[in-house]
């Protein structure tokens, strides 16, 4: 309530942008994405510079990614994250932004471009084990399987459990492994991989 009062009663205050961003975060966490986007856009449209502008652009892109799961507007996701990178090329969120650009290409079935982006990300994140990064080898394996490069896809997918033991979408990697092994005529191995998918609570 105090942030909202500061925002409405003191639009010229040097704290206006900070209050507005905090309200946007609150709306985002409450899944009020339209209002959160409106607040962030006000900051972007103002003369605000520095961290608050950077984080507002990032939150706008995050909102686009969340909404794309429902409305399918993945091109907007790419545009929003590219806008962040153009405005702040040294942003600490660069890897996340590049992931979502690659993901937006994947979701729009631009598989060749997407694979090139994920390959670059794989090189840049080599040795890092943050949970979200497991999506990079998963997407690479899926894209290679789509190209029927079974050996290459299997080599990547089979390493995911060791690299990311707590990966919540391991069932998707197991499915790729099953497809690869079936295509390579290792039917016993394929059955074992498919059984892991069936037995997975998430899968």
């Amino acid at each position: 309530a105090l942030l909202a009062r500061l925002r409405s009663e003191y639009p010229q205050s040097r704290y206006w942008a900070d209050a507005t961003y905090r309200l946007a975060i609150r709306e985002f966490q409450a899944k009020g994405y339209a209002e959160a986007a409106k607040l962030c856009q006000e900051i972007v449209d103002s003369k605000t510079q520095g961290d608050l502008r950077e984080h507002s652009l990032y939150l706008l892109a995050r909102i686009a990614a969340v909404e794309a799961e429902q409305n399918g507007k993945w091109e907007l996701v790419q545009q929003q994250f590219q806008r962040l990178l153009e405005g702040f090329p040294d942003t600490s969120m660069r890897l996340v932004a590049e992931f979502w650009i690659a993901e937006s290409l994947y979701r729009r079935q631009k598989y060749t471009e997407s694979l090139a982006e994920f390959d670059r990300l794989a090189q840049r994140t080599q040795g890092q084990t943050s949970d979200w990064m497991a999506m990079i080898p998963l997407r690479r394996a899926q894209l290679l399987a789509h190209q029927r490069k079974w050996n290459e896809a299997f080599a990547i997918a089979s390493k995911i459990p060791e690299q990311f033991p707590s990966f919540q979408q391991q069932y998707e990697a197991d499915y790729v492994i099953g497809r690869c092994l079936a295509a390579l005529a290792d039917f016993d191995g394929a059955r074992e991989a498919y059984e892991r998918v069936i037995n997975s609570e998430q899968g």
Side-chain angles (χ1 to χ4, degrees), residues 69-124:
E69 295 285 358
Q70 302 297 324
N71 62 28
K73 294 181 179 179
W74 287 100
E75 187 173 356
L76 178 61
V77 175
Q78 181 176 359
Q79 292 170 355
Q80 294 282 32
F81 276 106
Q82 283 179 334
R83 183 163 68 149
L84 168 66
L85 294 180
E86 289 167 5
F88 298 90
D90 297 324
T91 178
S92 61
M93 286 85 80
R94 186 170 191 92
L95 285 177
V96 175
E98 290 178 348
F99 167 81
W100 281 109
I101 289 170
E103 180 72 4
S104 72
L105 292 167
Y106 175 82
R107 297 298 188 102
R108 287 149 58 205
Q109 300 182 1
K110 296 189 174 186
Y111 296 134
T112 301
E113 295 172 58
S114 179
L115 181 57
E117 293 293 332
F118 279 118
D119 283 346
R120 279 193 285 272
L121 272 171
Q123 292 179 347
R124 295 189 59 194

Side-chain angles (χ1 to χ4, degrees), residues 141 151-163 170 173-174 177:
N151 286 307
E152 294 176 50
F154 176 78
I156 293 173
S158 61
K159 293 177 182 176
I160 293 175
E162 180 182 349
Q163 295 172 329
Q170 177 57 41
D174 287 330
I177 291 169

